Amino acid sequence: MGDYSFFGLLRHAFAGHAEWPRAWRDPPLKPHYDVVVVGAGGHGLAAAYYLAARHGIRNVLVLDKGWIGGGNTGRNTVTIRANYLREPSIRFHAEGLRMWRELSGALGFNVMFSERGQLDLIQTWAKLRDVKRRRSTMALAGVPFDILTPAQARARVPILAPEGPTRLPILAATWHPTAGVARHDAVAWGYARAADALGVDIVQNCEVRAIRRAGGRVTGVETARGFVAAGKVGLAVSAHAGVLAASADLRLPIETVPLQAFVSEPLKPMLSCIVNCPGQVYLSQTDKGELAIGGGSDPVPSYVQRGDFATIERVVTALLEIFPVLARVRLLRQWTGAIDLCHDTSPILSKTPVEGLYLDVGWGSGGFKAIPAGGAAFARLIANDAPDDAILPFALSRFESGRPLYETAGASNRD
Amino acid sequence: MRLVPCPTCGPREAGEFVCFGEPRPRPDGTRPLAEAIYARDNLKGPVAELWWHRAGCRRWLTLRRNSATNAFVE
């Protein structure tokens, strides 16, 4: 593995950058692994890294049907925040924010985490009631979260529409100063490189077709390159969770829906924080100057990574109502990810009725921010074969026991 | 624009419809209540879905669609 320190870079610069080694190996499949993680996105790679780094389990395989971080890890709008409603969610994501701050140093790879804060514009009385409730639960968890006046919001975001008659006037705003953004690919590459250095095998372009069981216990996975035996199997596959779980006779409370994002042409710096208008549109400005824009999920469930024009129209309409200054800005790219939307819009981090099979799915529109905390929690769950207090509320059995964890803070929540 | 084949109105724009996803029959005791209420097949491939032509004939329809391609099938 190459060293990305200053002297390492200098040495390779003098060598004409001709001697850089591969950042991670392309190993052949071994017949048996202690743990097989399906899905080489952020969550799968982070789980493999923490299994090796914190729990000493190094005979680990991460499989992906495509390439590293080619699914929702590479398709999101990189918002990292902890402004949730329910206490388990807030505590979980607050721990995530702490990990994000130290991630570049821990991985030896710059993930470009930029803690720039998030401003939510509140335009309905229902949402105002919701954020007042969230301010209280956030205070209980000790995460900074304030309610601002419209004038304070305009001071933070000068490009907001000027005051005047409008369909949905700004009633208030919320300010979440510890929110931020990071470079999505760098997160996947950083974890892949660090996990590989600890001996984890990462195999790309190798689809997992089914989970094999014997006597209620996992025995391995059936892949495009044949059977691989495994002591434990973890699923971190987002959209395809239901397809793989079905091969182990599990039905999940998850629906696969498209979620779109857009990027504008590069502009001069004009937006210093993340701005979210709940249920309508959210955006932040990237280091390249592009505006990365997202909205709610598409209304029809689908596995197709291609969005609906009606959604683009809905999101852009809201965007121009709030930021009329962007009327002549052109959108450069548009893309779609297939997300795993759980019934209560909280994730499933859980054991299953099948012994040795674990789930890290149902992240819906909010999986990227949860990569460090989710990966670490998934590794703990797999290594200990038992959930700890932090992730017990995210168990699959919460639906049977009547304790769903309804959230109001996801991009796909409508109200 | 996506077209939805309505048996009475012909192909119409998807915005006229509400998609309610896979049909969820009333719990009848044949499987655990939580599974009957919350669990989904969430199939990749041909699915039968409940649609409502809200801004058209207002009929409730069961349409067959391929969730891996978005194409409606007969």
Side-chain angles (χ1 to χ4, degrees), chain A residues 244-269:
Chain A
L244 278 179
S247 74
D249 292 327
L250 284 176
R251 290 174 83 232
L252 303 177
I254 285 178
E255 218 170 33
T256 298
V257 297
L259 182 68
Q260 305 193 47
F262 329 97
V263 157
S264 78
E265 58 189 325
L267 304 162
K268 295 275 185 188

Side-chain angles (χ1 to χ4, degrees), chain A residues 13 62 86 106 110 134 152 209 241 254 282 304 313 343 406:
Chain A
V62 187
R86 307 292 298 268
N110 188 2
R134 270 158 68 183
Q152 288 171 313
R209 296 191 171 141
I254 285 178
Y282 57 90
V304 183
E313 197 175 2
H343 170 79
Y406 287 105

Side-chain angles (χ1 to χ4, degrees), chain B residues 2-73:
Chain B
R2 186 187 296 175
L3 294 177
V4 178
C6 174
T8 41
C9 312
R12 303 292 292 235
E13 209 267 307
E16 294 183 3
F17 295 79
V18 182
C19 177
F20 285 81
E22 61 184 75
R24 299 191 286 278
R26 283 181 75 85
D28 57 1
T30 54
R31 51 181 180 208
L33 191 61
E35 201 195 321
I37 295 171
Y38 298 115
R40 303 280 183 273
D41 289 331
N42 198 22
L43 296 173
K44 184 179 186 180
V47 288
E49 289 172 318
L50 208 53
W51 290 74
W52 178 39
H53 197 176
R54 180 174 62 181
C57 60
R58 301 185 68 80
R59 262 179 65 179
W60 285 83
L61 313 161
T62 300
L63 297 175
R64 297 188 61 77
R65 187 175 62 97
N66 188 332
S67 69
T69 63
N70 280 350
F72 285 90
V73 286

